[in-house]
Each structure stands twice: as structure tokens, then as C-alpha cells.
């Protein structure tokens, strides 16, 4: 039955593209309890994938707004966070954390065959580890952040992982260290954000010992003292600009030169609270709205429904 549903969605979605109909401004997610956290987009099937930090599920949302469970773990205590689609290899990469072992978590990097909906690769990062977010380069190599250890991991085709980059600068100053990451246009640099204390780093992919903290002009990075900016979470490049996602705001970073060590910051708070991460879909930025910070750290009920929504980049144009 599941394959039949997937085939019918896949058959309908090319019509969406051929008619040149843009993706909707937002999608509502059905779950009232899953607390979605990560988001990724598959451009071949025009589908979003939303992970959940509780409930053990990954959902799939078609461009037409049809939602289904893409994968359900046998263990509902499994937590899924960062997600990334390797379009060329038809893989959905996801960070998986066993929350039952907290405060000493164990995590894995897992990959699903997008077209078959099956789990095909599992890389155990050991204990302690907290895989938070990941991305891939043009060769399919995976880079993943660890939020409890000051490490960025590298995973090749043999599924063996290594510490690609590590630094005392990456160490968490609170409960959450390294978080979102993305590869800059040109494929030479990796940008990675730290949540506590807030910072952004550039790591050279050719020389991972070459680590530089990004300096800023324009608006203050992370807006110290503003409750809408408890710490940077996800980040995503759209063109040459990097977008950093916070619970109640988004910052657009425009880099000076091609070394990605200096950036002009522009900030908008004209977004809902509850944001965690973002992905590029059909040339536009879409974010996930799940109330994670408010529910987990402030013990407040979420404002339903959870959503996938478009960020209007013109919000930064007039600044």
C-alpha cells in the first residue's frame, strides 16, 4: 500500500512542475506531538522530509501537500534531528539519537533509500555522541556535527567515520555545542554554527585544521539579550547568502570576499516563533516551525499546527 501511495504522489508531482505552479507558502503537519526538527527537500520528487525529535518518525510532504509517514522506528524513543538529501545518490541522510541514554546519549548517522523508503546505511558514532546536523559534498561524503563533543565527523563510502575537524572553540558552553552546518558555494569551505555560546566558524575542507571564527558587521550576530534568539540552530545557503535560523528570527549573512571569514548581518523577526532549521526548495528557502525550544526548555504547550513555511527573503531587502 505504501509503495502505491508513493507512486501516485510521484506521478502527480511532475504535473506540478510542468504547469509551473509554485510550491505553496506553507504546509501544515498532522502530528500534534512529534516536535519536528530537521527538514530536507528532494527536488526529483518535489517532496519535503521532516524529522521528529520524539515519536521515532520521519514524515514526507509532497509539493501538493499530501503527507505520509516515510519511516517509523520500532522504538518511539529514537530521536531524529538534522536531515539532508543527496539527490544524485537518492539518499536521505539523518542524525539519529537514542534519547533513552541521556544525559550520555548515543547517536548514529543513518541513510534511507528515498525511492524505496528503506534504511540502507547505519554508522554508529558511539557513546557519548550527539549527532545534530549533517550535509554532503559533491562526492557523497557526509559531514556531521556533534553537540556534546567538539567534533565534526566525516563519513565516506566505506561507512567508516573519522573526526574531520576538532577544536576547543567547538566545545559547548552549555547544553548544546555545534549545531547546523552547510557547505559554501564553490565547495571549498564548511560553515558550522555553535549554539552556546553563539558563534559561527569557517572550516576549510582541504585543510580541516584551518578553522576561523567568522566576524560580523551590521546587526549583532545572535542578538544578545533578545529572547527570540536563544541561540543559533540550523543554517542554509541560498545562493551566496547564508541564513541562520533561530527560535524567533532569521539572520541573513552576506560574506565579504570568498574566504567566508567576514559577514554583514541582517536580521528579521517577522517570522513565527518555533523555528529550527531550513532547506532550499525550488530556489526558495523553507523552514520548519515546531516549537522545540518552547516545549523542551520553557515547558510550554506548542502552538499547533506544526508547519513547513516559506521565508520571504525580501524581508531583508529594505534593511
Amino acid at each position: 500500500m505504501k509503495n502505491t501511495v508513493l507512486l501516485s504522489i510521484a506521478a502527480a508531482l511532475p504535473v506540478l512542475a510542468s504547469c509551473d505552479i509554485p510550491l505553496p507558502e506553507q504546509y501544515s503537519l498532522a502530528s500534534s506531538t512529534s516536535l519536528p526538527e530537521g527538514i530536507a527537500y528532494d527536488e526529483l520528487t518535489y517532496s519535503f522530509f521532516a524529522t521528529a525529535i520524539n515519536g521515532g518518525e520521519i514524515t514526507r510532504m509532497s509539493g501538493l501537500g499530501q503527507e505520509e509517514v516515510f519511516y517509523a522506528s520500532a522504538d518511539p524513543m529514537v530521536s531524529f534531528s538534522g536531515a539532508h538529501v543527496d539527490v544524485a545518490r537518492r539518499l536521505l541522510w539523518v542524525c539519529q539519537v537514542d534519547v533513552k541514554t541521556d544525559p550520555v546519549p548515543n547517536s548514529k548517522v543513518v541513510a534511507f533509500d528515498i525511492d524505496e523508503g528503506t534504511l540502507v546505511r547505519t554508522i554508529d558514532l558511539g557513546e557519548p555522541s550527539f549527532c545534530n546536523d549533517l550535509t554532503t559534498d559533491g562526492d557523497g561524503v557526509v559531514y556531521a556535527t556533534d553537540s556534546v563533543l567538539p567534533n565534526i565527523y566525516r563519513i565516506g563510502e566505506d561507512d567508516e567515520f573519522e573526526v574531520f575537524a576538532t577544536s576547543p572553540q567547538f566545545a559547548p558552553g552549555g547544553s548544546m555545542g555545534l549545531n547546523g552546518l552547510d557547505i559554501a558555494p564553490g565547495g571549498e569551505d564548511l560553515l558550522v554554527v555553535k549554539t552556546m555560546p553563539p558563534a559561527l566558524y569557517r572550516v576549510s575542507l582541504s585543510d580541516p585544521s584551518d578553522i576561523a571564527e567568522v566576524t560580523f558587521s551590521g546587526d549583532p550576530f545572535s542578538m544578545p539579550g533578545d529572547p527570540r534568539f536563544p541561540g543559533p540552530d540550523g543554517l542554509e545557503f541560498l545562493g551566496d547568502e547564508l541564513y541562520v535560523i533561530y527560535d524567533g528570527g532569521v539572520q541573513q549573512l552576506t560574506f565579504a570576499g570568498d574566504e567566508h571569514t567576514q559577514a554583514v548581518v541582517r536580521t528579521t523577526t517577522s517570522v513565527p516563533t518555533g523555528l529550527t532549521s531550513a532547506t532550499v526548495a525550488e530556489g526558495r528557502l523553507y523552514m520548519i516551525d515546531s516549537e522545540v525550544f518552547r516545549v523542551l526548555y520553557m515547558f510550554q504547550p506548542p502552538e499547533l499546527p506544526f508547519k513547513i513555511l516559506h521565508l520571504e527573503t525580501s524581508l531583508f531587502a529594505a534593511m
Side-chain angles (χ1 to χ4, degrees):
M1 179 65 181
K2 179 178 177 181
N3 289 338
T4 302
V5 172
L6 286 173
L7 288 172
S8 65
I9 293 174
L13 287 172
V15 176
L16 181 75
S18 64
C19 295
D20 198 27
I21 300 174
L23 297 176
E25 289 298 298
Q26 69 176 40
Y27 301 84
S28 294
L29 297 169
S31 175
S32 61
T33 59
S34 66
L35 290 181
E37 205 278 345
I39 185 170
Y41 181 74
D42 176 30
E43 63 188 40
L44 293 189
T45 59
Y46 308 95
S47 299
F48 293 94
F49 294 93
T51 67
I53 61 172
N54 57 358
E57 289 187 351
I58 300 170
T59 58
R60 182 174 190 161
M61 178 71 74
S62 78
L64 297 175
Q66 298 164 301
E67 184 182 3
E68 66 164 354
V69 175
F70 174 76
Y71 177 81
S73 171
D75 183 357
M77 292 298 289
V78 164
S79 176
F80 295 114
S81 53
H84 177 78
V85 167
D86 183 339
V87 178
R89 295 159 187 83
R90 309 303 300 138
L91 293 175
L92 170 67
W93 287 97
V94 177
C95 285
Q96 174 183 314
V97 182
D98 180 0
V99 295
K100 290 186 298 183
T101 60
D102 282 345
V104 185
N106 169 269
S107 64
K108 299 177 176 67
V109 174
V110 296
F112 301 88
D113 183 308
I114 292 175
D115 302 312
E116 298 295 328
T118 55
L119 177 64
V120 292
R121 295 172 69 177
T122 300
I123 299 95
D124 193 331
L125 299 180
E127 182 180 303
S129 65
F130 194 113
C131 180
N132 193 309
D133 198 11
L134 39 68
T135 190
T136 61
D137 65 15
D139 296 323
V141 174
V142 179
Y143 299 89
T145 56
D146 191 323
S147 291
V148 298
L149 297 177
N151 297 335
I152 299 172
Y153 301 109
R154 183 184 187 275
I155 303 167
E157 292 183 357
D158 57 2
D159 284 354
E160 293 294 325
F161 77 92
E162 63 179 353
V163 175
F164 169 71
T166 187
S167 170
Q169 300 175 90
F170 294 164
S175 60
M176 188 69 63
L178 294 182
N179 204 317
L181 79 169
D182 198 14
I183 295 175
E188 296 180 355
D189 294 323
L190 185 70
L191 275 296
V192 59
V193 74
K194 185 168 73 171
T195 298
M196 297 180 182
L200 180 70
Y201 300 97
R202 186 272 292 146
V203 182
S204 169
L205 288 176
S206 61
D207 178 8
S209 67
D210 180 4
I211 299 169
E213 183 171 354
V214 179
T215 59
F216 307 103
S217 59
D219 293 335
F221 181 69
S222 193
M223 304 294 286
D226 191 324
R228 294 168 295 189
F229 294 81
D233 196 335
L235 53 78
E236 186 78 11
F237 272 99
L238 176 61
D240 291 329
E241 276 71 45
L242 180 66
Y243 293 85
V244 182
I245 312 301
Y246 298 80
D247 175 71
V250 179
Q251 295 194 305
Q252 180 195 68
L253 275 57
T254 303
F255 289 92
D258 57 3
E259 294 186 355
H260 301 102
T261 58
Q262 296 178 308
V264 177
V265 181
R266 295 180 178 87
T267 303
T268 182
T269 55
S270 298
V271 293
T273 57
L275 304 177
T276 55
S277 54
T279 190
V280 174
E282 306 307 310
R284 305 203 301 172
L285 203 70
Y286 279 80
M287 307 175 295
I288 197 123
D289 176 5
S290 70
E291 302 288 325
V292 167
F293 180 79
R294 204 156 270 96
V295 173
L296 292 187
Y297 299 100
M298 300 180 68
F299 307 104
Q300 296 180 3
E303 296 180 10
L304 300 174
F306 302 128
K307 301 182 187 73
I308 297 170
L309 49 90
H310 167 234
L311 174 68
E312 182 54 69
T313 55
S314 65
L315 291 171
F316 302 95
M319 298 180 182

